[in-house]
Amino acid sequence: MNGFSDALIYLNDPFNWTRRDGILDLLGEHLGISAVAVLAAVVLAVPVGVLLGTTGRGAGPVVVLSNVSRAVPTLALLTLFAVSPIGFGNRATTIALAVFAIPPVLTNTFVGMRGVDPDVREAARAMGMGRRQVVLRAELPLAMPLVMTGIRTAAVQVVATAGLAALVGGGGLGRIVNLGFGQQNYGLVVAGAILVAGLALLTELLLVVLSWLVTPGPRRLPALVARNRPPSAVPEPTAAGVPL
């Protein structure tokens, strides 16, 4: 319990948040590394997933390779980068995290595009849409829930893993954990872990809301749908308990 109490004391001290290289500075650096990595993965993986999903060519090997790449630890990539021209620091961490984020985005985009009803494509073509319009205006919006699920999964994984930047001379909230281990101060370790976990949960929440906003159709929460359901949709029991 001493570690948790020390962590709370550390987190409740405003100086630890506002000082130079304090929590706010490390948080901004952590978010910057994560955002660049996820954005790079989206820019690379979504177009490839859309292309494979619409054509079906070479999809099997790419998706298998994508799934196998999940087994490669990010720390192993950072070790390889350390002995390469990429070197240490935030750049190496960003590249490694982008590689880590590509598989879920690519796989979910491919599955989402392949799951679009063929009748939708035919109806879009019958309306005079070209191939690009069919993809962008008909198929991609229907695949968006799965695409956003992949992006959300990748983002949460990246935010939770970006703390490894501290092991290769980078920044981010992992520096608090690294400093705690170096000083054998477990209060710092717990404080850093709380910050990273909280940021990952907040990322999940924000992307769930974003997924809900970009999903086509009536965007209503299940509770609101049940509340707004017409009374006639639910049969009313008679005195004998049997609906009319």
Side-chain angles (χ1 to χ4, degrees), residues 13-244:
D13 188 349
F15 177 74
N16 291 328
W17 288 81
T18 57
R19 64 181 172 83
R20 185 178 181 182
D21 292 332
I23 295 175
L24 291 179
D25 288 344
L26 297 178
L27 176 62
E29 203 168 9
H30 195 106
L31 289 174
I33 294 171
S34 303
V36 172
V38 173
L39 182 60
V42 170
V43 170
L44 293 174
V46 170
V48 175
V50 170
L51 178 63
L52 295 178
T54 53
T55 63
R57 298 175 182 176
V62 171
V63 173
V64 170
L65 180 62
S66 175
N67 290 330
V68 171
S69 65
R70 298 184 186 185
V72 179
T74 306
L75 187 58
L77 286 177
L78 291 174
T79 304
L80 293 176
F81 291 162
V83 295
S84 71
I86 297 176
F88 294 91
N90 291 341
R91 181 177 63 175
T93 306
T94 303
I95 296 174
L97 291 175
V99 173
F100 183 56
I102 286 176
V105 178
L106 175 60
T107 303
N108 279 53
T109 302
F110 169 75
V111 172
M113 296 299 294
R114 294 298 292 172
V116 175
D117 192 341
D119 292 339
V120 174
R121 300 187 183 97
E122 293 300 327
R125 294 191 185 100
M127 294 174 61
M129 292 186 184
R131 183 173 180 179
R132 179 177 298 180
Q133 289 178 316
V134 171
V135 172
L136 296 179
R137 298 178 60 182
E139 295 181 295
L140 189 57
L142 293 177
M144 190 56 66
L146 272 178
V147 175
M148 287 303 302
T149 298
I151 295 175
R152 187 173 75 244
T153 301
V156 173
Q157 291 177 348
V158 165
V159 169
T161 313
L164 293 175
L167 299 177
V168 290
L173 295 174
R175 288 180 58 182
I176 299 176
V177 178
N178 198 30
L179 180 63
F181 278 119
Q183 297 179 350
Q184 294 186 350
N185 185 341
Y186 297 108
L188 282 179
V189 175
V190 174
I194 291 174
L195 291 170
V196 173
L199 185 59
L201 291 174
L202 182 59
T203 302
E204 172 79 13
L205 178 61
L206 291 177
L207 289 178
V208 165
V209 174
L210 180 61
S211 300
W212 176 66
L213 291 175
V214 301
T215 299
R219 297 188 295 263
R220 294 183 179 180
L221 297 177
L224 296 179
V225 173
R227 182 185 304 174
N228 296 329
R229 182 177 298 167
S232 58
V234 181
E236 297 181 358
T238 63
V242 179
L244 297 175

